Amino acid sequence: MRQSGVRGEGARRRAPGPRDGGRDGSAREEDGGASHDAGPTAGEGADSRDAAAADTGLQGGGSQGGGSQGGGRAESRRAARADAQGGGRRRKGKKGPRRKRSRGVRILRWTALTLAVLIVGAAGAGYLYYQHLNGNIKKAELDLGDSKLTKPEPNAAGQTPLNILLIGEDDRSKKENLKLGGSKKDATRKPLADVQMLVHVSADRSNMTVISIPRDTRVTIPKCTDPKDNHVYPKQTFAPINESLQHGGPGCTVATWKELTGIYIDHFMMVDFSGVVDMADAVGGVPVCVDANIYSHDSKGHGSGLRLTKGTHPVKGVQALQWLRTRYGFEDNTDIGRAKAQHQYMSSMVQQLKSGTKLSDPGKLMDLAEAAINALTVDHGLGTIKKLYDLGNDLKRVPTKRTTMVTMPWEYRNDGEYVVPKPDDAEKTFSLIRNDIALDGKDKKKKPAKVPAPSMDKGELPVVVQNGTGSTVLGAASGRARDITAEVARLGYAKAIANTVLTSQADTTISYPDKARHGDALALAKALGLSKSAVKESQSVTEVTLVVGNDWRQGTTYPKSSADDEDKAPKIDDTLNGDEKKCMHVNPGYTF
């Protein structure tokens, strides 16, 4: 069925000032000085889980909060490291049942998005089947928080970047999922978001960045409201990021990412255990490599059960799931090694799909489409087969060699019990993504354009100043529009006025409505100490508009940081390019 693509939201010309549309009831900056309350501790509301259960699921079971019961993650990690030092042989494990090999497809790039291919292919069986699949797609709200982040402005060509959050959830309420991993005692608990990867596709579709956040990263989960029963989950500080899914569903995980990164998220796609197994089967196995024999199992019950000999192997079925959730056996037996293994898997999936294999058995294809639908939950914006298909066609435009996979820069805390975002480096990485700058450093360097002259004397230039510090995590920094308006006036911009409608964005920006005001905006940026990259043309403003972001929450002098090198990504050790082929390093304590 050939159908035209879905058009994106057109930019609307609005009155000067409000970047959030100036809706009735919008928060005013004077009312936005919410305090940064302490909130619950990381351990509050968390399920109590033993160390063995903690290693089940797509990335294992639940996280334990800081200061949790004895035998928590830190202890299990230390024990695993001690075991690793001792080395020794591991007992042989039985291989899982062999699954019948099927063939792959080449349309989509990423594991979760492969579902769209299966659905579309099976829909060829006829219109009624197409409607049947459409009706079975599970949908959920995109954002359950109160974020005021707005979609990025289109570039000069009218293009906008695309951000999709991929979530692997460890729901064990289904029998088939429980058989694939976990203990029966977890069958009644709410699922956790144990795989979280943001796929950023550049506005011109020339490159793609995938950034992972380890499941035990401590973050602030913002207040979320469950749309099913209107239950309000209060803000929780310093909590494991994977617990965000338990606060009303995937929309709270999206809200958590938006608050942590300042990145606007367009869609999410969530898949469970069985979906991962079926997708690996769909492509006939995903080639992965280890630098030594590995058996992810020890006498204490730690491990996924993955057993492979040194070299490259196509994993599928249960074995593919074991690869994705292996922690004990890779690198230092932590979630960081697991994230590297997931990146390798995704990179290999890209290469496998690009090789041109096809699903040739209609019966198997329809079975896989049914399984994919059962495993998939998307936001309402992706809630039809056509929308999934259009998304897949959009993504296939990105060259494999311009895909980059990274883990958020992080550092250990509390003797390795959990990780936190690394100061400066994590924010710098998020900033590059917000500003649509590729992490591979291969964006085409534009010749420095001649700086246009201001169109009028600065004393005659109308300037609108708006408070953009409306963070639901930090609370708004009250009075920022007023304070910076006074500073802009002191610099000679006598016609500067404050817009008191509160909005939210990570970076301070200066927007101008047309090319005639470009020179004026650049001159204002120079006067304030802002970089040229902070200046953007925008169809949503009618005057030069300065939005004071969360990077400038106090003072009248714009702060500089060690991460201010605009286009240079921080050094990240586990960066993987889509064309690379690497082998996972096996921990010496988990070989045979």
Side-chain angles (χ1 to χ4, degrees):
M1 298 180 63
R2 182 177 295 275
Q3 302 187 45
S4 60
V6 179
R7 291 178 60 84
E9 292 182 2
R12 294 176 292 176
R13 187 171 293 276
R14 293 178 278 186
R19 295 294 298 271
D20 61 352
R23 297 182 297 275
D24 293 340
S26 296
R28 303 286 166 175
E29 67 159 327
E30 287 78 4
D31 301 327
S35 64
H36 181 57
D37 62 278
T41 65
E44 290 174 0
D47 290 286
S48 176
R49 293 171 285 274
D50 62 23
D55 197 38
T56 55
L58 286 179
Q59 280 204 36
S63 299
Q64 296 204 8
S68 58
Q69 303 172 18
R73 174 154 305 167
E75 183 178 339
S76 65
R77 281 178 173 169
R78 286 191 290 268
R81 287 171 180 153
D83 288 347
Q85 297 297 324
R89 289 181 174 268
R90 304 289 165 184
R91 63 181 179 84
K92 295 183 179 180
K94 295 180 180 179
K95 294 183 179 179
R98 292 180 61 85
R99 298 176 65 91
K100 205 167 184 178
R101 184 182 181 97
S102 52
R103 300 294 290 170
V105 289
R106 62 168 297 172
I107 295 180
L108 297 180
R109 301 295 190 207
W110 310 109
T111 302
L113 302 183
T114 308
L115 292 164
V117 179
L118 303 179
I119 295 166
V120 173
Y127 178 75
L128 291 178
Y129 192 61
Y130 176 94
Q131 291 297 91
H132 162 72
L133 292 176
N134 251 342
N136 286 344
I137 296 177
K138 295 187 291 293
K139 297 176 283 289
E141 294 297 323
L142 176 62
D143 186 353
L144 302 185
D146 299 323
S147 172
K148 294 179 175 59
L149 278 179
T150 56
K151 190 176 180 68
E153 293 289 336
N155 61 18
Q159 304 163 316
T160 55
L162 179 65
N163 296 305
I164 306 166
L165 185 62
L166 306 184
I167 303 171
E169 52 106 348
D170 71 344
D171 181 17
R172 293 184 174 90
S173 61
K174 300 176 184 177
K175 290 183 179 179
E176 56 269 31
N177 284 342
L178 194 58
K179 286 190 295 184
L180 291 171
S183 60
K184 291 183 179 180
K185 69 178 183 180
D186 288 331
T188 57
R189 72 154 167 79
K190 293 181 178 179
L192 295 152
D194 276 348
V195 173
Q196 299 178 45
M197 297 182 179
L198 182 69
V199 177
H200 169 81
V201 190
S202 65
D204 62 4
R205 304 303 186 256
S206 68
N207 64 85
M208 184 184 297
T209 297
V210 180
I211 182 168
S212 300
I213 293 182
R215 65 169 189 172
D216 58 359
T217 303
R218 295 308 195 251
V219 299
T220 295
I221 300 174
K223 183 184 76 173
C224 292
T225 302
D226 190 334
K228 294 179 181 178
D229 57 10
N230 292 321
H231 178 77
V232 177
Y233 292 86
K235 181 176 74 174
Q236 188 173 357
T237 59
F238 214 65
I241 193 171
N242 66 345
E243 290 182 3
S244 59
L245 190 64
Q246 297 181 329
H247 292 215
C252 194
T253 303
V254 169
T256 301
W257 270 75
K258 288 172 71 174
E259 288 295 340
L260 174 67
T261 66
I263 298 169
Y264 181 85
I265 295 177
D266 300 274
H267 301 292
F268 75 81
M269 302 185 76
M270 184 170 72
V271 64
D272 65 11
F273 291 174
S274 60
V276 173
V277 171
D278 289 332
M279 284 184 292
D281 287 350
V283 296
V286 177
V288 295
C289 180
V290 288
D291 66 2
N293 297 348
I294 180 174
Y295 182 32
S296 179
H297 181 77
D298 65 20
S299 60
K300 297 180 180 179
H302 299 137
S304 67
L306 178 70
R307 185 182 178 90
L308 293 172
T309 55
K310 179 181 178 180
T312 301
H313 305 269
V315 294
K316 55 181 178 177
V318 174
Q319 199 172 49
L321 182 62
Q322 289 173 334
W323 176 274
L324 289 169
R325 68 182 184 88
T326 292
R327 173 158 60 103
Y328 292 96
F330 287 149
E331 306 277 342
D332 61 352
N333 299 332
T334 69
D335 288 325
I336 307 305
R338 172 156 40 201
K340 291 182 182 180
Q342 290 169 352
H343 291 162
Q344 185 190 121
Y345 182 94
M346 292 180 69
S347 177
S348 185
M349 174 76 84
V350 170
Q351 297 170 33
Q352 186 78 344
L353 297 178
K354 198 174 179 66
S355 66
T357 55
K358 297 179 180 179
L359 283 165
S360 57
D361 186 325
K364 290 181 181 179
L365 184 57
M366 291 173 67
D367 289 342
L368 286 168
E370 292 280 357
I373 287 294
N374 290 334
L376 179 67
T377 302
V378 299
D379 65 277
H380 292 281
L382 285 180
T384 67
I385 291 172
K386 180 185 180 303
K387 290 177 179 178
L388 289 169
Y389 180 70
D390 288 342
L391 173 64
N393 276 330
D394 198 20
L395 291 173
K396 75 176 183 180
R397 295 162 53 191
V398 181
T400 305
K401 64 182 179 181
R402 291 299 313 279
T403 61
T404 306
M405 285 158 276
V406 300
T407 301
M408 172 198 73
W410 52 272
E411 62 184 27
Y412 281 124
R413 290 285 174 87
N414 201 24
D415 195 24
E417 181 180 1
Y418 51 80
V419 301
V420 296
K422 187 175 183 179
D424 288 345
D425 283 0
E427 172 53 30
K428 178 60 181 177
T429 304
F430 299 149
S431 177
L432 291 172
I433 294 173
R434 287 194 299 264
N435 289 286
D436 203 20
I437 298 171
L439 265 62
D440 63 6
K442 296 179 181 178
D443 281 341
K444 292 182 179 178
K445 300 295 182 182
K446 297 179 181 178
K447 293 181 179 180
K450 183 179 180 180
V451 178
S455 66
M456 64 183 76
D457 183 85
K458 63 183 179 181
E460 298 298 319
L461 178 71
V463 176
V464 177
V465 182
Q466 187 172 8
N467 187 348
T469 66
S471 168
T472 61
V473 170
L474 299 174
S478 184
R480 294 304 289 156
R482 179 187 65 243
D483 295 345
I484 302 304
T485 297
E487 174 64 12
V488 171
R490 188 190 69 79
L491 292 170
Y493 293 86
K495 290 191 175 182
I497 61 171
N499 177 347
T500 59
V501 175
L502 183 67
T503 185
S504 178
Q505 62 184 51
D507 305 306
T508 297
T509 60
I510 297 176
S511 301
Y512 59 95
D514 51 51
K515 291 183 178 179
R517 303 286 180 88
H518 189 190
D520 301 303
L522 287 170
L524 175 59
K526 184 177 180 179
L528 291 170
L530 296 171
S531 67
K532 291 180 181 179
S533 65
V535 178
K536 305 177 186 298
E537 185 174 358
S538 170
Q539 298 179 16
S540 67
V541 300
T542 57
E543 303 290 355
V544 173
T545 300
L546 166 64
V547 180
V548 184
N550 277 298
D551 59 346
W552 193 8
R553 293 177 60 85
Q554 59 184 6
T556 56
T557 301
Y558 183 73
K560 300 289 184 181
S561 78
S562 60
D564 276 343
D565 189 352
E566 291 179 33
D567 297 340
K568 187 176 180 180
K571 180 176 174 54
I572 303 175
D573 293 334
D574 63 340
T575 299
L576 181 66
N577 180 272
D579 274 349
E580 286 184 281
K581 295 182 179 180
K582 292 184 176 181
C583 292
M584 281 300 300
H585 174 61
V586 174
N587 187 291
Y590 288 81
T591 60
F592 66 92

